[in-house]
Amino acid sequence: MSNLPNCPKCNSEYTYEDGLLLICPECAHEWSLEAEEQEENAKVVRDANGNILNDGDTVTVIKDLKVKGSSLVVKQGTKVKNIRLIDGDHDIDCKIDSLGAMKLKSEFVKKI
Ligand SMILES: [Zn+2]
């Protein structure tokens, strides 16, 4: 009939669409294809104001941040271009002109 995915519960191939839901007639499982897709890239990184950050964004640092393991400080107001989102405690990978490559926490930056 179409290229709908098999039922994730019983693997039946007789699934059909009903609005936004997919329904399995064999085990009565209902699910949303859209929700599943969103879950796969569900990791959303937000700045201090709750705005969603994306790779390539430019942000400013909202407070002085000591760089772990060094005497360097990333000053409040430092502009950070072209951030890259990563997994982990520090979820922003970036390069700051005067300081070099480092990792920041999204809660201490805000998007410009
Ligand atoms: Zn099923």
Side-chain angles (χ1 to χ4, degrees):
M1 179 178 97
S2 67
N3 55 359
L4 291 174
N6 289 357
C7 172
K9 274 203 168 163
C10 70
N11 208 32
S12 162
E13 62 191 42
Y14 300 108
T15 52
Y16 61 92
E17 263 178 308
D18 183 11
L20 289 173
L21 288 178
L22 293 173
I23 297 173
C24 170
E26 298 198 23
C27 72
H29 182 52
E30 295 180 3
W31 72 104
S32 159
L33 196 54
E34 220 168 306
E36 259 180 31
E37 277 174 5
Q38 279 169 4
E39 228 167 280
E40 277 177 22
N41 34 36
K43 189 176 158 50
V44 172
V45 177
R46 292 174 191 275
D47 72 2
N49 295 329
N51 293 314
I52 293 173
L53 296 172
N54 296 298
D55 285 354
D57 278 352
T58 299
V59 298
T60 52
V61 176
I62 60 166
K63 57 176 264 187
D64 287 1
L65 299 173
K66 266 196 71 154
V67 181
K68 218 177 179 181
S70 80
S71 58
L72 298 173
V73 174
V74 182
K75 292 272 189 210
Q76 179 183 353
T78 301
K79 196 190 253 189
V80 184
K81 287 182 201 159
N82 199 18
I83 62 168
R84 200 166 63 85
L85 303 179
I86 55 173
D87 281 329
D89 180 30
H90 290 63
D91 43 16
I92 296 174
D93 194 19
C94 63
K95 209 171 147 196
I96 298 176
D97 287 344
S98 52
L99 301 172
M102 67 181 57
K103 295 181 172 63
L104 299 172
K105 289 187 181 183
S106 55
E107 64 198 274
F108 298 132
V109 303
K110 71 178 185 208
K111 192 169 170 170
I112 301 180

